Each structure stands twice: as C-alpha cells, then as structure tokens.
Amino acid sequence: MSAANQIEVPPIRVALLGCGTVGSEIVRLLTEQADDIAARSGAPVELVGIAVRRADRHRDVPAELLTTDAAGLVTRDDVDVVVEVVGGIEPTRQWLLAALNAGKPVVTANKALLAEHQGDLFAAADASGADLYFEAAVAGAIPLLRPLRESLAGDRITRVMGIVNGTTNFILSAMDETGAGYAETLQEASRLGYAEADPTADVDGYDAAAKAAILASLAFHTRVTMSDVYREGIAAVTPADVAAARGLGRTIKLLAICERVLDADGTESVAVRVHPAMIPRSHPLASVGGAFNAVFVEAEAAGQLMFYGQGAGGAPTASAVLGDLVAVARNRVIGGRGPRESAYADLAVRPIAQASTRYHISLDVADRAGVLAAVAAVFAEHEVSIAGVRQEGRPQDASLVVVTHSAEDAALRSTVDKIAGLPFVNEVVSVMRVEGEDS
Ligand SMILES: NC(=O)c1ccc[n+]([C@@H]2O[C@H](COP(=O)([O-])OP(=O)(O)OC[C@H]3O[C@@H](n4cnc5c(N)ncnc54)[C@H](OP(=O)(O)O)[C@@H]3O)[C@@H](O)[C@H]2O)c1
C-alpha cells in the first residue's frame, strides 16, 4: 500500500495559476512525487484546476483541469490552496487577494507583486488567517526566505548581500572572461537562452531590486517596497571597467545589498541598493559564475552565512514552490499557521545619498606635474579619504585610478562632479562602488 493510501484525511485541493516554465514543472513534480508529498504533508495534495492564457497550448496536462478563468478558479468551493506562477502585478494581485480574502492559503513565486504589494497581501492574509508563502520569489531553489523568516528569527541580521539575478551574472561573468563589450555579450546570452527576449527587467536591475525589497523586509522586520530600493543596472559597465577591476585583483558583479545602519545619534535605519560593484577576486561571491545565485547573510550571533545554488529555472523554482506547498498543507492538517508579516521594527529607509561605500574612480588626465596633487585636494575638500592611487603615463596623457575609503554617496558625487570640471581632466572614465573589502 502506498503512503498516500494510508492517509485517511481529506485531500488538499490545489488550484495552479500558470503552467509555463515553472508551472509545468510543478505539475510534473506533484504528479511524480504524489505519494511522498502526501506522506510529508499528512494529506494527499491534489491538483483540481490549472489556469492558463491559451488552453490549446497545454496538451500535456489533463484537459479537464484547464481553464482560462483564473478569477473563477480561485474562488471555486473545491479549491483549498492557490499556487500562483503567472507573474505580473494585475490581474494577479486581484486573484491572490480574492483567494486570501476567502481564507485560502497562497503560495507564489511572484517577486514583482510582493515587492510592490506585500502590505495588501499580508493584510488580507491576516484578516482571514490564511498562509502566504513565497520562497520561490527570491533566488529560485535556494532556501533563503525561510532561514530569514524562521531560522534567524532569534538573531539580529545586520547585512544581506548577494547575487540574485542569473542573467546579469551570466553577462558580467562572460565579460570578465572574454573582455567583450556589454551589447555583444547580451546578444550571446540571448542566443544561449540566458536572457529574455526583453531583458530590461534583468539588465536594468528591476528584478534584483524587487528581490532586495523582499530580503530587506524580512531581514529587518520593516516593510520595504520597490520604490525604496536604489537601482542601477549593468548596461553602463564597459570593458574598460572590467579590465580596471581585473588589474586591481577585482571582478564586477551586480549586487543586491541590504544593510542595517546605525547613525551617530543611535538611530537605526536600513539602506537597500542594487548596483554593479567591484569585489575582490578572493571574495566568495567572485567565484559565483554563470546563472548561479549566492547570498551572504550576516547576523550578530550567527556570524556569516552563505546561501548558494540555482537561482532560476523551471525545476529549481518548482522545488521551492513545492516546499511551500507542503508547509501550507502541513499547517492545514494540524490547524496551524505559518509566519505572518513581521514589520514591527518599521525602520526608516535611507536615501542613497547617505549610503556609504568605497569607490573606484578612473580618470583620463593630462600627463603633467601637479595633477595628482590637485585631484587629491578635491577629494580632501569633500572629506572623501583616499585609500590608494595608481597613475600610468601614456604617450599623450595619463590614466589615474583612485580608490577611496568608505564615503557617502553624496560626497563622492560632488567630488567627481568637481574633478570632471578640472581643466587637466580629459574624462571621468568610470566610477564604480567597491564592496567586500574593509572600509
Ligand atoms: N522562470 C523562472 O526561472 C522563475 C524563477 C523564479 C521565479 N519565477 C516567477 O514565477 C512566475 C512564473 O514564471 P514563468 O517563467 O513560469 O512564466 P511563464 O513561463 O511565462 O508562464 C506564465 C504562465 O502564466 C499563464 N498566464 C499568463 N497570463 C495569464 C492569464 N491572464 N490567465 C491565466 N494564465 C495566464 C501563461 O499561460 P500560457 O502558457 O497559456 O501562455 C503561462 O502558463 C513569475 O512570477 C516569475 O517571476 C520564475
């Protein structure tokens, strides 16, 4: 007798919204592992409906399960749990609110929706007592949100920093390996299937920013939304930046950084940003190549933790969704509830102008006496402390690279603006943040 047959509790009836890259893998795993999932959940988990946009495209799933009416499916009486892998904000938000308002637990992989509307969704979940799980929304298969929400709930997280977008990591890794330019490498990534037809959400940093908002909210018990996240994409990264990084033993990664900041007066706030940054080649994040994701979490008692694995893809993402589905099913069987929103700390979010980090500034200057001293004077005037300088003469001009100690973004920008206007500065070639080194 199979494990499922031994269970005499009623099945947990699941509506699946979306049957694309992730949804089709959820269907496959739910079918192939039905007995194991039932045994682990304490009840059989049964698919009772699948909402898609074009029913004729899904000949591999039972036709009687398919519908194009997602709104109707979520409120059907024979649906206990809603799993959403459609994506987008509307009408998905309406479907999930309808499910939660009706007391039906929701499992979603939708980072864009959570990063904008976590407040509405959690409020609806709280009002009806329904679960809201979203492990798959950040870093695909990597168990990361559950450690933040549960395992580290007794600790104080100070920093979360990581590579959370596989497309941009693939492009930057390839640029580092080949020395090729951004546009050419993006084309190659598209050809190999690592970039979407419209790569904007990835390359402009929106995807990583949505994930950063979710991570910061959980890490700092504060509601952080997409508009709170400072964002820069990778389109402006040049082969010269990559070569400059390499020359200094560094590599460039698109990082999502969420920090708890303590002001001089003891006030705490959070800073959340996504931008390309140079990191030392010896840093553990430097060796995260291709489409992989990795996230560093620093907590006061736990110290440093690193989470690494496949951050996207149908099966890896489905794995995270199914983990959540089993958690929801277990909660239903025992009559409990998973963690609710924890936003009690309600810390202020700092504007980027007040964020501090180290910078690498590369200048093209006239090769003559006094240039270095004049540039250094501008740094001193803005109280930006210099950690190192490298100057190389060329036939007509010179390259001057300055690496700073930790400086506020606003001070650094004023410094660079003034330097750009100096008569002997031909060009500010690049300004890039440096992470993963002592300040
Ligand atoms: N792909 C990944 O690696 C990954 C990783 C982490 C998180 N996610 C998240 O998972 C979600 C789904 O991603 P995906 O890559 O699986 O997307 P996808 O392949 O584009 O699939 C989307 C599915 O939604 C269905 N759909 C679209 N509009 C609909 C509507 N109005 N009513 C009913 N169904 C509708 C589509 O139906 P048709 O098939 O009929 O067009 C399709 O089955 C997104 O939120 C994404 O951010 C994806």
Side-chain angles (χ1 to χ4, degrees):
M1 194 187 285
S2 75
N5 292 337
Q6 293 165 12
I7 295 167
E8 287 173 11
V9 289
I12 301 204
R13 299 162 300 176
V14 177
L16 177 66
L17 310 184
C19 193
T21 307
V22 180
S24 56
E25 286 298 315
I26 294 173
V27 174
R28 180 179 70 80
L29 292 170
L30 258 182
T31 311
E32 285 177 12
Q33 301 178 18
D35 287 352
D36 288 320
I37 287 171
R40 293 168 197 168
S41 303
V45 176
E46 196 180 286
L47 257 182
V48 294
I50 304 174
V52 293
R53 193 172 29 184
R54 301 159 299 180
D56 55 323
R57 301 272 180 103
H58 300 271
R59 304 209 184 282
D60 43 351
V61 293
E64 66 276 15
L65 294 184
L66 287 174
T67 174
T68 52
D69 178 13
L73 177 60
V74 296
T75 49
R76 247 169 51 185
D77 287 342
D78 66 339
V79 167
D80 300 314
V81 177
V82 172
V83 173
E84 184 267 314
V85 281
V86 169
I89 307 275
E90 298 292 355
T92 324
R93 187 179 73 99
Q94 296 301 333
W95 302 334
L96 299 193
L97 284 175
L100 292 166
N101 287 335
K104 299 179 185 189
V106 164
V107 174
T108 175
N110 193 331
K111 64 215 104 172
L113 178 61
L114 281 159
E116 294 277 7
H117 294 288
Q118 54 185 295
D120 303 0
L121 295 169
F122 274 117
D126 270 356
S128 68
D131 274 335
L132 175 60
Y133 279 82
F134 45 94
E135 182 66 63
V138 182
I142 307 170
L144 176 60
L145 304 192
R146 196 172 309 245
L148 293 179
R149 280 176 111 180
E150 300 184 33
S151 323
L152 291 165
D155 206 336
R156 224 174 114 79
I157 296 171
T158 50
R159 198 160 200 258
V160 179
M161 173 168 99
I163 295 167
V164 293
N165 181 273
T167 303
T168 46
N169 198 50
F170 177 87
I171 294 170
L172 292 173
S173 302
M175 286 174 72
D176 185 67
E177 276 160 31
T178 63
Y182 164 74
E184 187 188 331
T185 312
L186 170 59
Q187 244 178 16
E188 181 64 1
S190 304
R191 195 183 65 76
L192 295 171
Y194 288 105
E196 302 272 341
D198 176 2
T200 314
D202 294 315
V203 298
D204 287 351
Y206 290 100
D207 175 83
K211 292 165 178 171
I214 296 169
L215 290 171
S217 299
L218 299 181
F220 306 128
H221 304 273
T222 289
R223 196 177 288 166
V224 177
T225 61
M226 191 72 176
S227 57
D228 295 320
V229 182
Y230 174 79
R231 175 190 54 78
E232 272 176 37
I234 63 162
V237 176
T238 63
D241 293 330
V242 173
R246 185 175 272 281
L248 292 166
R250 300 187 178 109
T251 186
I252 298 174
K253 295 288 186 189
L254 183 74
L255 298 180
I257 301 171
C258 317
E259 293 168 308
R260 186 190 285 273
V261 187
L262 190 62
D263 289 333
D265 67 359
T267 316
E268 274 192 328
S269 55
V270 298
V272 191
R273 52 201 163 98
V274 167
H275 52 69
M278 291 185 182
I279 56 172
R281 294 187 99 81
S282 56
H283 192 281
L285 289 179
S287 56
V288 176
F292 277 78
N293 282 191
V295 178
F296 249 84
V297 177
E298 290 175 30
E300 281 183 1
Q304 287 196 331
L305 305 162
M306 183 162 164
F307 298 84
Y308 172 79
Q310 296 196 61
T317 308
S319 161
V321 170
L322 286 182
D324 281 354
L325 184 54
V326 170
V328 164
R330 284 175 177 159
N331 293 344
R332 273 185 85 84
V333 170
I334 60 169
R337 234 193 120 184
R340 301 159 51 168
E341 183 185 30
S342 176
Y344 72 92
D346 198 20
L347 299 176
V349 180
R350 283 187 154 220
I352 186 69
Q354 292 170 12
S356 288
T357 185
R358 300 185 73 182
Y359 286 86
H360 171 284
I361 301 117
S362 174
L363 306 172
D364 183 355
V365 297
D367 192 9
R368 63 169 131 101
V371 168
L372 181 54
V375 167
V378 178
F379 277 91
E381 188 187 315
H382 292 86
E383 297 184 5
V384 176
S385 164
I386 294 176
V389 176
R390 197 168 79 168
Q391 187 169 14
E392 272 172 28
R394 297 186 292 228
Q396 305 295 330
D397 52 17
S399 151
L400 181 62
V401 172
V402 178
V403 178
T404 72
H405 285 297
S406 197
E408 272 202 358
D409 190 89
L412 192 280
R413 274 173 206 274
S414 310
T415 309
V416 171
D417 284 350
K418 181 142 187 198
I419 286 172
L422 294 175
F424 48 79
V425 173
N426 303 329
E427 192 189 358
V428 177
V429 180
S430 88
V431 177
M432 191 159 296
R433 295 174 178 84
V434 178
E435 296 289 340
E437 293 176 16
D438 293 338
S439 57

